Amino acid sequence: MSDKPAVLVARKVFPEVVQRLAQHFEVEDNPEDHIHSPEELTARLQGKAGAFVTLSERIDAALLDAHPQLRAVCNMAVGYNNIDVAACSARGVLVSNTPDVLTETTADFGFALMMATARRITESERFLREGRWDRWAYDMFAGSDIHGATLGILGMGRIGQGIARRGALGFGMKVVYHNRSRLPAEQEAPLGARYVDKETLLRESDHLVVVVPYAPATHHSIGAAELARMKPTATLTNIARGGVVDDAALAQALREGRIAAAGLDVFEGEPRVHPALLALRNVVLTPHIASATVATRRAMADLAADNLIAALTGGVPPTPVNPQVLAR
Ligand code: 8YV
C-alpha cells in the first residue's frame, strides 16, 4: 500500500497533468472519458482525499456525506455552479476554480461569437455549402455593424471587462454595462464604459453579451420580459451559463423577430440543446468551447492540479473559492 493520498481525476485530461499528479498521489483517472452517473461518481470517490472535476460532475451534500474523507474538490473551470460550495465549506472541504488563466481566451471567443452572430457568418456559410449561392444581391446576409455600435455587457467581471476592452479599444464601440456593483472610475474611464440599470442596458444595447455567473439569483436573467425590451435589430450572445438565459423564451423571441439573432455557447440542460433553437436560422450555436484553446485548457488543468497538490500536501492553494476552510 502506498502512503500517498488517493485522488480521482474525474474526466480525461492532459496526460502530462495526470503524470504530475501521480508524483504526489495515487491517481485514479478516466482515460476513456466515461461520463459518470451520480452513483458512479460516488463509487469512484471511495477512499479519495481529493477530486479533480469539471462542470460535468455535480458535487452536492449527499455525495459529500458519503465521503467524509474528501478534503479538496478542484474544478477545472472558473464557474463552479456544479459544486455546492456551502456544503463543502460546512464539511471543511476546500473548493478551487481556475480564474484569470482563461479570461482573455474566453473574451476572444465571446467577441468572435458576437461578430459571427451580427455578421451572419455561419448562416451564410451553410447557404454557400448547400450550393445555393448563384448571384450577388444587395441584401444578401446583410447584418448589423460592430464598429460604432453599442456593446452591452451583463456581468462586468474579468471576462466582461475583457469583452468591453475589445469592443471599446479595438472596434470603437460604445460600452454600457450592468453589474452587481459599479467598477471604480479608473477602470471605467479607459473604456468609456457607462454603468446603467438593467432596463437601460436592454433598451440601448445593439449587441448584448451575457457574462454573469450562474446562481439562483441569475436564473433566467434574460427571459421573455427582458427580450421584449431589446431592440428588434439587437443580437444577444450568451457565454455565461445555460439557465442565465431562458432558452425557450429566446427561441420564441428569435422566431417572432423581437431580436435579430443570438450567439450561444451555453445551454439549459447542455449537452442537450432546445429543439426550438436548433430549428432557427438566426442563431450561432457552439458546444461550450469559449475557453477551448490548447494553451488555455492546459493552463486550466495545471491550475486545477496546482490547487489539488497544495491542498493535500500542506501548501497554499493558489485559487481557492472558500479560503476560510484553510484557516481552520
Ligand atoms: C470549462 C467554463 O471548460 O470555466 C468555465 O466556467 O465554463 C469552461 O471554461 C467548463 O466549465 C469545464 O469545466
Side-chain angles (χ1 to χ4, degrees):
M1 264 296 272
S2 149
D3 54 4
K4 289 179 182 170
V7 302
L8 176 68
V9 178
R11 295 292 310 282
K12 181 177 181 179
V13 288
F14 298 89
E16 300 84 349
V17 176
V18 177
Q19 281 157 19
R20 190 154 74 86
L21 289 169
Q23 292 168 11
H24 303 267
F25 307 120
E26 283 302 322
V27 177
E28 181 175 331
D29 64 345
N30 181 5
E32 303 299 327
D33 211 20
H34 177 70
I35 303 285
H36 298 103
S37 66
E39 295 73 29
E40 288 171 324
L41 183 63
T42 302
R44 293 199 66 188
L45 280 169
Q46 206 62 52
K48 305 296 189 300
F52 179 118
V53 299
T54 71
L55 198 61
S56 317
E57 287 74 47
R58 178 150 295 285
I59 307 294
D60 58 17
L63 181 134
L64 295 168
D65 285 340
H67 292 293
Q69 83 289 347
L70 197 61
R71 286 157 42 211
V73 175
C74 300
N75 215 24
M76 183 179 152
V78 65
Y80 43 83
N81 55 303
N82 55 314
I83 301 173
D84 184 339
V85 177
C88 286
S89 301
R91 291 160 181 78
V93 176
L94 180 88
V95 178
S96 67
N97 67 341
T98 60
D100 302 320
V101 293
L102 50 62
T103 301
E104 299 302 327
T105 295
T106 305
D108 280 348
F109 187 89
F111 207 82
L113 185 56
M114 178 189 79
M115 289 192 78
T117 304
R119 296 304 307 274
R120 306 175 65 176
I121 288 178
T122 55
E123 186 188 354
S124 60
E125 195 205 358
R126 277 196 300 273
F127 170 88
L128 179 151
R129 284 179 183 274
E130 286 162 9
R132 294 163 60 199
W133 183 27
D134 64 353
R135 71 191 67 185
W136 176 91
Y138 81 99
D139 60 349
M140 188 166 78
F141 297 108
S144 56
D145 276 322
I146 301 293
H147 73 275
T150 297
L151 170 63
I153 310 270
L154 181 62
M156 198 64 150
R158 288 169 283 226
I159 298 168
Q161 289 175 52
I163 293 169
R165 241 182 354 261
R166 283 158 179 74
L169 308 181
F171 289 79
M173 300 181 86
K174 298 183 260 307
V175 176
V176 290
Y177 74 98
H178 183 69
N179 196 45
R180 264 181 316 191
S181 52
R182 189 173 169 170
L183 292 181
E186 62 272 20
Q187 274 172 270
E188 274 184 358
L191 306 176
R194 198 155 54 84
Y195 179 77
V196 293
D197 59 26
K198 195 172 164 193
E199 195 71 29
T200 308
L201 181 79
L202 296 167
R203 199 178 54 240
E204 291 191 2
S205 297
D206 293 313
H207 303 295
L208 177 60
V209 184
V210 180
V211 213
V212 283
Y214 182 82
T218 59
H219 182 75
H220 287 184
S221 289
I222 302 290
E226 289 75 17
L227 291 160
R229 289 174 172 79
M230 291 176 67
K231 298 180 187 181
T233 50
T235 72
L236 174 76
T237 298
N238 184 10
I239 56 160
R241 275 290 179 271
V244 170
V245 173
D246 178 342
D247 286 348
L250 174 62
Q252 194 175 344
L254 288 163
R255 215 169 28 236
E256 293 171 359
R258 278 188 275 123
I259 67 167
L264 307 171
D265 186 49
V266 289
F267 304 88
E268 290 190 278
E270 66 186 50
R272 288 189 313 278
V273 176
H274 199 296
L277 288 172
L278 290 170
L280 291 166
R281 54 158 192 80
N282 50 343
V283 287
V284 181
L285 308 173
T286 52
H288 201 149
I289 55 167
S291 68
T293 65
V294 177
T296 290
R297 285 285 166 83
R298 178 62 195 265
M300 293 165 69
D302 274 325
L303 183 52
D306 292 343
N307 277 289
L308 193 54
I309 293 166
L312 298 182
T313 63
V316 180
T319 52
V321 169
N322 56 355
Q324 71 275 19
V325 165
L326 297 168
R328 286 188 207 156

